[in-house]
């Protein structure tokens, strides 16, 4: 498998005429884990959604490529098939579609007609991964995310990631709403997937998650851009001191995307 | 309108068909009386749908077809509809002919009668006469009268008391050829404490200006339990009119499962009359509106007895420029104390040009009752589509999953696996177009 290379250059995106991403540049390679931190409303989820191709976000400038291919030219389905995966901050609930039917459709969509996964193999894999994530088997037969608790939804996002084996995984606040045991379980799932052929972009507010999933790079996002990057020690300092020192250092008063640049 | 429209048949044609089938005189008389009445009767009055410009009477009622030697010799379109394993209790009608009629020996041995209607009037005349038009009268409106005049098939199902029929009895109705008509009259009698499931499907072949009109009369005896499932997959070239009505006695239970999967214009009225104390009716109906199709689908329950219970759930998916009017009528008569009627209509709109109207109507003449309704009209959620697509599922497949998912709470509850599968098949087929 080709090694992974995601390149985001000077990305600008808006929603309903409001510019939110204001020139963001970031590069992620196979084997790397990048963490993005930043105060509320600074554009972290917008970055994730824009990369995945959410129809509400309009890219106005910049480029995104995955292994040299232009991601911005692809529709959502094509991006997923190219290897992008987004564990969402707020996953949708879909009535009437069972979790396992959905997963099987997703896997087969990627494998293509004539190359469908056998039912036995699918069940074996699903059982195994649900085991790792300590999910009760009833979740396979429940409607997708319907009535799932916040933490159960997060686990289900990770289950999907583990089943689909994407090459670039974006996790948007996968730790919010998780109790400490669940956090460890989810981290275990992510760590199991660490590989030279896979990159991670992990959005989080808390050092806690990064205790279990050690990042190679930590970036701070403000005003719709990455304003500071460093190693794991940066996350530790943010946890201890908050964001004020960065704002002072960079002369930022309003860190949100509303700031006039 | 159509008093001055030239019909394509007359008293002589009706008489000839009746005689060719060796029907008893009383049945022919009923036909001719209905034919005369049809000249002056009005078309049925429907909520928000005018039938004046629909094809209600331009058809050739007596197009005959050859018998099939066995199930294997049936037309492919029919074979698709039957479960070969259970083809031993099956009636197949094509236009004005019964092409196959079989009943498993063990069911016959239980004293069950399951035969086409023409055989029934010949061999079980008294029994048929006792029930015919007891639920649906021939003079209710012009379509009922026209139907009675030209009944060209149907079935008579009689289950003796305390008898349980363990497998679903099946029927397939097929219409094919320009101007052809299929007009089955279906009578189901479940004596006290019996139990039976009847499943039918409607299919069509090539042809233009075809019509299907059917009347279903069900008599649920005390403590009896009847399930009727009907899956209609008629093409755009068929206009379909159906009137189904069940009369339910004390502690009896009537269950309707209706897959309105026609591609053409459709009128369906489905009514349960809860006559006996503690009787029960459950109606589940799903439809998909496609193209420029017009549908008027009514689910209705009339509570007469005390402690009667009903639930109705209708779901519709509307695409293209299709129009569907979903009426839910819960009527609770004076004296029906402790009655409880619930209904819900849910519509999923897939296109801005489509129209879906949910009309819940509660008519309550008694104080000591419970009744409720819930109606919703929702649009496709872009967010849900995005979510599914973000896992690599194509937009088309995502839409399909959401549509099937919307309908699944009804489909999944269908108690007979075979019916469930057949309905899923019909759904898939309609979505694939
Ligand atoms: N549909 C929308 N309409 C208007 N503004 C929007 C819309 N979606 C997002 N925004 C705005 O964009 C900004 C960035 O939002 P985003 O969700 O990307 O922030 P975030 O960094 O993920 O915040 P959090 O840490 O709270 O999750 C916010 O000010 C938000 O209100
Ligand atoms: Mg966010």
């Amino acid at each position: 498998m080709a090694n992974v290379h995601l390149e985001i250059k000077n990305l600008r995106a808006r929603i309903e005429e409001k510019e939110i991403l204001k020139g963001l540049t970031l590069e992620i390679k196979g084997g790397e884990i990048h963490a993005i931190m930043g105060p509320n409303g600074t554009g972290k989820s917008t970055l994730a959604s824009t990369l995945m191709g959410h129809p509400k976000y309009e890219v106005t400038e910049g480029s995104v490529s995955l292994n040299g291919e232009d991601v911005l030219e692809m529709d959502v389905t094509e991006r997923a098939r190219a290897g992008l995966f987004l564990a969402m901050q707020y996953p949708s609930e879909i009535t009437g579609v069972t979790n396992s039917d959905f997963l099987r459709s997703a896997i087969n969509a990627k494998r293509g007609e004539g190359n469908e996964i056998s039912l036995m193999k699918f069940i074996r894999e699903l059982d195994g991964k649900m085991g790792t994530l300590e999910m009760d088997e009833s979740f396979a037969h429940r409607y997708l995310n319907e009535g799932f608790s916040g933490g159960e939804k997060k686990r289900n996002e990770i289950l999907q990631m583990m089943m689909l084996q994407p090459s670039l995984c974006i996790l948007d606040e996968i730790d919010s709403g998780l109790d400490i045991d669940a956090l460890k379980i989810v981290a275990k799932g992510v760590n199991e997937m660490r590989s030279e052929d896979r990159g991670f972009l992990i959005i989080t507010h808390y050092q806690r998650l990064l205790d279990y999933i050690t990042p190679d790079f930590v970036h701070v996002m403000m005003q719709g851009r990455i304003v500071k990057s460093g190693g794991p020690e940066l996350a530790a300092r943010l946890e201890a001191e908050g964001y004020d020192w960065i704002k002072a250092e960079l002369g930022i008063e309003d860190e949100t995307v509303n700031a006039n640049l | 309108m159509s008093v001055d429209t030239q019909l394509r048949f007359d008293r002589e044609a009706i008489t000839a068909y009746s005689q060719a089938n060796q029907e008893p005189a009383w049945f022919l008389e009923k036909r001719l009386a209905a034919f005369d009445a049809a000249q002056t009767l009005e078309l049925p009055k429907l909520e928000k749908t005018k039938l004046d410009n629909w094809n209600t009477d331009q058809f050739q009622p007596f197009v005959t077809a050859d018998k099939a030697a066995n199930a294997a010799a049936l037309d492919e379109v029919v074979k698709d509809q039957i479960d070969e394993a259970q083809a031993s209790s099956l009636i197949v009608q094509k236009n004005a002919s019964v092409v196959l009629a079989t009943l498993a020996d063990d069911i016959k041995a239980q004293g069950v009668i399951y035969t086409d209607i023409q055989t029934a009037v010949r061999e079980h005349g008294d029994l048929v006469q006792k029930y015919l038009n007891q639920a649906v009268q021939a003079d209710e409106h012009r379509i009922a009268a026209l139907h009675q005049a030209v009944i060209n098939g149907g079935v008579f199902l009689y289950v003796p008391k305390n008898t349980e029929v363990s497998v679903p009895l099946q029927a397939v109705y097929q219409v094919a050829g320009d101007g052809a008509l299929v007009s089955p009259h279906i009578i189901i009698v479940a004596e006290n404490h019996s139990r039976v499931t009847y499943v039918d499907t409607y299919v069509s072949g090539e042809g233009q200006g075809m019509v299907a009109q059917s009347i279903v009369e069900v008599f649920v005896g005390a403590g009896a339990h009847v399930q009727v499932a009907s899956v209609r997959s008629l093409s755009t070239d068929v206009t379909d009119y159906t009137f189904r009505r069940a009369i339910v006695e004390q502690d009896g239970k009537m269950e309707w499962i209706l897959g309105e999967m026609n591609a053409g214009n459709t009128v369906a009225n489905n009514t349960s009359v809860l006559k006996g104390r503690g009787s029960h009716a459950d109606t589940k109906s799903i439809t998909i509106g496609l193209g420029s199709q017009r549908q008027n689908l009514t689910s209705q329950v009339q509570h007469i007895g005390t402690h009667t219970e009903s639930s109705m759930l209708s779901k519709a998916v509307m695409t293209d420029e299709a129009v569907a009017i979903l009426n839910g009528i819960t009527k609770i008569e004076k004296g029906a104390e402790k009655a409880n009627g619930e209904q819900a209509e849910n519509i999923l709109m897939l296109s801005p040009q489509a129209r879906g109207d949910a009309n819940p109507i509660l008519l309550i003449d008694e104080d000591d009752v419970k009744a409720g309704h819930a109606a919703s009209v929702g649009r496709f959620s872009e967010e849900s589509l995005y979510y599914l697509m973000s896992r690599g599922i194509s937009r088309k497949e995502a839409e399909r999953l959401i549509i099937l998912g919307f309908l699944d709470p009804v489909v999944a509850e269908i108690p007979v696996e075979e019916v469930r599968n057949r309905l899923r098949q019909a759904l898939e087929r309609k979505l694939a177009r």
Side-chain angles (χ1 to χ4, degrees), chain A residues 98-167:
Chain A
T98 66
N99 216 2
S100 79
D101 282 353
F102 156 68
L103 273 169
R104 202 142 66 94
S105 298
I107 289 172
N108 285 335
K110 205 163 179 178
R111 295 171 64 111
E113 236 175 83
N115 188 30
E116 285 87 356
I117 187 168
S118 81
L119 188 58
M120 285 311 295
K121 181 157 188 253
F122 171 76
I123 291 173
R124 220 180 315 120
E125 285 193 13
L126 185 62
D127 278 354
K129 289 181 170 143
M130 288 179 76
T132 305
L133 295 172
E134 298 185 21
M135 292 173 77
D136 189 87
E137 60 184 286
S138 64
F139 282 97
H141 309 294
R142 281 176 61 178
Y143 290 155
L144 180 52
N145 292 330
E146 196 180 74
F148 286 25
S149 75
E152 287 163 356
K153 281 184 185 159
K154 298 294 165 121
R155 254 186 245 214
N156 204 41
E157 292 290 286
I158 298 299
L159 175 67
Q160 292 170 37
M161 181 176 81
M162 294 174 78
M163 291 296 288
L164 293 170
Q165 298 281 310
S167 53

Side-chain angles (χ1 to χ4, degrees), chain A residues 15-16 18 20 38-47 56-57 89 172-173 205 257-258:
Chain A
I15 181 161
E16 289 154 11
K18 181 178 171 189
I20 296 175
N40 295 129
T42 51
K44 303 183 297 300
S45 293
T46 302
L47 170 63
K56 273 198 186 149
Y57 298 90
Q89 190 172 0
D172 191 0
E173 292 200 25
H205 285 293
V257 299
N258 301 315

Side-chain angles (χ1 to χ4, degrees), chain B residues 93-110:
Chain B
Q93 175 183 343
K94 179 174 181 180
N95 296 333
S97 299
V98 176
V99 294
L100 189 79
T102 60
L103 179 61
D105 288 339
D106 52 335
I107 298 175
K108 208 181 291 175
Q110 289 181 295

